[in-house]
Amino acid sequence: MTKRVAIFASGGGSNMRALVADMTAAADHPAQPAVVLSNNADAGCIAWAKGQGIATVVVDHRPYGGDRAAFEAAMMQGLAPHAPDIICLAGFMRKLTAGFTDAWAGRMINIHPSLLPKYKGLHTHARALEAGDAHHGCTVHEVTAALDDGPILGQAQIDVAPGDTAATLAARVLVLEHRLYPAVLRRFAAGDRTPINLQG
Ligand code: GAR
């Protein structure tokens, strides 16, 4: 049966768009977009999803202050009517508690703009440059309680060129993100966790 996918995003949602485009392009895709959830009502991802006729849920994290569990309970409540089987984090910039990640263990994946285990967290492109790395890229992994951790499902790699800046690296990695994430989701939704490796 086709897996129902909830996509979580906080910003423009270019990865969300790549996932939706792939899921909706082929009749034989093992997954379908069920809902887009954001913590930001003004995020481009929400406007785009609405324009596509995809269900949206907004849960603003700010009223919850530091109470992440209450924020997550509200997200779960918002998700429930859409009955997702899989969550794809696609630029969702809120940390999740173990309560949430445990509830979705084996059913939630994330894309991160570095070759994990390098550069968990923020400013990944600048950190790769500062380290003088010859290669950089992105990773899709299963989400566990530890930030940007969990079994790796795929990586895409580029060469760092002389003259690269954090901005040029980010732009080139993003192009690869849009290839890698749909390819991984397609396998993952079919129950295949064999890692994918792409070169830019
Ligand atoms: C992407 O580069 C994604 O890898 C990154 O945020 C960007 C979202 O862009 N995610 C993280 O840094 C999560 N740790 P998008 O909204 O255009 O997809």
Side-chain angles (χ1 to χ4, degrees), residues 11-16 90-93 110-113 121 148 174 177-178:
S14 69
N15 276 292
M16 169 205 69
F92 185 67
M93 302 309 274
N110 178 47
I111 189 154
H112 183 73
D148 299 328
L174 193 61
E177 292 185 38
H178 299 161

Side-chain angles (χ1 to χ4, degrees), residues 108-110 112 116 139-143 148-153:
M108 178 158 55
I109 62 180
N110 178 47
H112 183 73
L116 291 172
T139 303
V140 177
H141 63 95
E142 289 185 45
V143 178
D148 299 328
D149 206 83
I152 289 176
L153 298 167

